[in-house]
């Protein structure tokens, strides 16, 4: 456990709050919330998204996105989609909202055992749990990111166990339908119901290579895109490590810091995001050193008491 979690365990949240430095308060609030959490709901993320990431901010709609991870590279390409009777080009999905929606699609497909995911009550319920408004500008932003996810194409490049090269190209969503449901009351207007079908390749990869994550942890990080990336990365890597593993600042910058030209600019932002990720993953054994970080074998990110309670 981190020093913050240890303080809360030893003294309780109210007393521990008096013992921390002011700059620790944001991470402290998340840690205290997580340690009191009794919700055992789990989600799922594909391993490829644990090792690479989406852009944090919008890039030009005609621009490809490429990101390097540990022996894997991700390239996302914009695409076209028919919306409102017109064919439109949508750029690459970006930001924390796109990450959350991808997590929803993957978790829902894993939960139901079906590649077909309906965007209706289940999505609205999930947005409520993530504390994201389902109306106004927040709803428009959500729809925009859904369209970007539906339109884009993924390319994964990786190094094989024998040192060769592997490539996989596919979309996330293989098909969709949008239906207008008349309410019967003209004052209420029309409602939309979308059904997305994940591509067979992506769905099969998710079923075979899905990583369990804890939904309350995602909720606590819902507005922090880099912290979300670090959390799912730690969730994938830490519990399978056999020994302490150093990661250099250069490697961390290459994976998480594309928005920063220099490592010296990236480092303080990464450390802040890492503290948020560790706040929702108390068992994460990560040590910060001058040359980077050292990750050590850790328990999975789902609290053991909640796993036992579900059984």
């Amino acid at each position: 456990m981190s020093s913050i979690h240890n303080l809360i365990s030893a003294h309780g949240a109210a007393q521990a709050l008096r013992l921390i430095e002011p700059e620790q308060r944001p991470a402290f609030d998340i840690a205290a919330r997580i340690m009191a959490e009794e919700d055992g709901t789990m989600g799922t993320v594909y391993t490829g998204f644990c090792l690479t990431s989406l852009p944090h901010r919008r890039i030009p709609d005609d621009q490809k996105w490429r990101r390097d991870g540990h022996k894997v590279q991700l390239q996302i390409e914009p695409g076209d989609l028919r919306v409102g009777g017109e064919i439109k080009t949508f750029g690459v999905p970006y930001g924390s909202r796109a990450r959350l929606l991808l997590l929803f699609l993957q978790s829902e497909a894993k939960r139901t055992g079906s590649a077909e995911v309906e965007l209706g009550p289940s999505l609205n319920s999930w947005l409520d749990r993530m504390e994201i408004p389902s109306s106004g500008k927040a709803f428009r932003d959500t729809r925009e990111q859904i369209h970007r996810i539906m339109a884009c194409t993924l390319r994964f490049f990786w190094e094989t166990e024998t040192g060769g090269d592997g490539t996989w190209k596919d979309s996330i969503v293989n098909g969709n339908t949008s239906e207008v449901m008349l309410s019967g009351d003209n004052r209420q207007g029309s409602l939309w119901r979308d059904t997305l079908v994940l591509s067979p390749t992506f769905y099969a990869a998710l079923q075979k290579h899905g990583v369990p994550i804890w939904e309350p942890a995602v909720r606590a990080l819902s507005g922090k895109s880099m912290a979300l990336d670090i959390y799912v990365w730690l969730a994938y890597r830490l519990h399978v490590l056999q020994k302490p593993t150093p990661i250099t600042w250069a490697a961390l910058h290459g994976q998480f810091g594309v928005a920063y030209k220099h490592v010296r600019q990236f480092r303080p932002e990464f450390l802040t995001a890492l503290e948020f990720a560790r706040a929702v993953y108390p068992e994460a054994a990560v040590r910060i050193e001058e040359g980077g970080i050292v990750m050590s074998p850790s328990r999975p990110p789902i609290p053991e008491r909640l796993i036992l309670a579900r059984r």
Side-chain angles (χ1 to χ4, degrees):
M1 281 189 167
S2 71
S3 58
I4 289 178
H5 296 104
N6 287 331
L7 279 175
I8 295 172
S9 294
H11 303 285
Q15 178 63 24
L17 181 58
R18 303 188 185 98
L19 302 175
I20 64 169
E21 300 297 328
E23 61 269 20
Q24 294 178 290
R25 179 63 187 268
F28 174 90
D29 289 343
I30 292 176
R33 173 179 176 177
I34 283 296
M35 293 183 73
E37 184 63 66
E38 295 297 331
D39 182 356
T41 306
M42 301 181 195
T44 305
V45 60
Y46 170 56
T47 55
F49 289 128
C50 297
L51 297 170
T52 58
S53 59
L54 305 177
H56 296 295
R57 300 179 182 86
R58 183 171 185 163
I59 62 175
D61 286 348
D62 60 350
Q63 184 174 313
K64 298 177 183 179
W65 168 259
R66 182 174 293 175
R67 195 74 252 134
D68 292 343
H70 179 63
K71 296 185 178 181
V72 64
Q73 293 84 39
L74 167 66
Q75 179 172 291
I76 308 178
E77 301 172 4
D80 297 332
L81 193 68
R82 180 182 170 90
V83 177
E86 298 181 16
I87 298 177
K88 300 179 181 180
T89 298
F90 288 90
V92 170
Y94 64 91
S96 60
R97 190 67 53 83
R99 286 162 168 80
L100 292 172
L101 290 167
L102 275 173
L103 287 172
F104 165 77
L105 292 176
Q106 294 169 92
S107 299
E108 192 70 4
K110 184 71 173 180
R111 183 185 68 82
T112 62
S114 171
E116 188 170 302
V117 180
E118 185 173 310
L119 305 184
S122 59
L123 176 59
N124 290 334
S125 174
W126 190 82
L127 290 174
D128 288 342
R129 296 200 304 275
M130 292 296 108
E131 300 172 358
I132 297 173
S134 55
S135 60
K137 182 179 183 302
F139 175 76
R140 292 192 295 273
D141 290 345
T142 296
R143 293 287 299 185
E144 168 73 13
Q145 294 303 325
I146 288 174
H147 289 151
R148 287 170 176 263
I149 291 169
M150 292 163 65
C152 74
T153 301
L154 303 180
R155 290 178 185 263
F156 280 102
F157 307 93
W158 67 89
E159 178 183 328
T160 67
E161 293 181 358
T162 59
D165 299 311
T167 304
W168 167 49
K169 175 187 176 183
D170 204 350
S171 57
I172 298 173
V173 176
N174 201 46
N176 75 285
T177 57
S178 293
E179 300 179 3
V180 182
M181 299 182 296
L182 298 179
S183 64
D185 184 340
N186 292 332
R187 292 173 300 177
Q188 297 180 25
S190 300
L191 302 174
W192 290 87
R193 182 179 65 194
D194 292 349
T195 299
L196 307 186
V197 182
L198 302 186
S199 75
T201 305
F202 181 72
Y203 177 72
L206 175 66
Q207 297 298 313
K208 186 175 180 180
H209 302 292
V211 176
I213 54 174
W214 191 28
E215 187 173 286
V218 174
R219 176 167 60 241
L221 301 177
S222 63
K224 300 174 174 60
S225 60
M226 187 186 295
L228 280 169
D229 289 344
I230 295 171
Y231 168 68
V232 297
W233 176 60
L234 295 177
Y236 169 63
R237 294 212 61 190
L238 289 183
H239 76 282
V240 297
L241 291 178
Q242 300 298 313
K243 61 182 180 179
T245 303
I247 311 291
T248 66
W249 285 115
L252 293 168
H253 179 247
Q255 182 169 346
F256 298 104
V258 67
Y260 304 91
K261 185 175 182 179
H262 302 291
V263 172
R264 66 175 182 272
Q265 299 169 322
F266 160 73
R267 179 172 173 169
E269 299 298 326
F270 175 84
L271 289 175
T272 297
L274 176 61
E275 282 306 297
F276 290 136
R278 293 174 70 191
V280 301
Y281 189 174
E283 304 301 332
V286 180
R287 186 172 72 252
I288 300 165
E289 295 189 344
E290 183 60 31
I293 66 173
V294 177
M295 304 190 302
S296 295
S298 308
R299 292 179 180 176
I302 312 297
E304 188 173 351
R305 72 183 192 281
L306 298 179
I307 295 176
L308 293 174
R310 287 174 66 91
R311 291 175 181 171

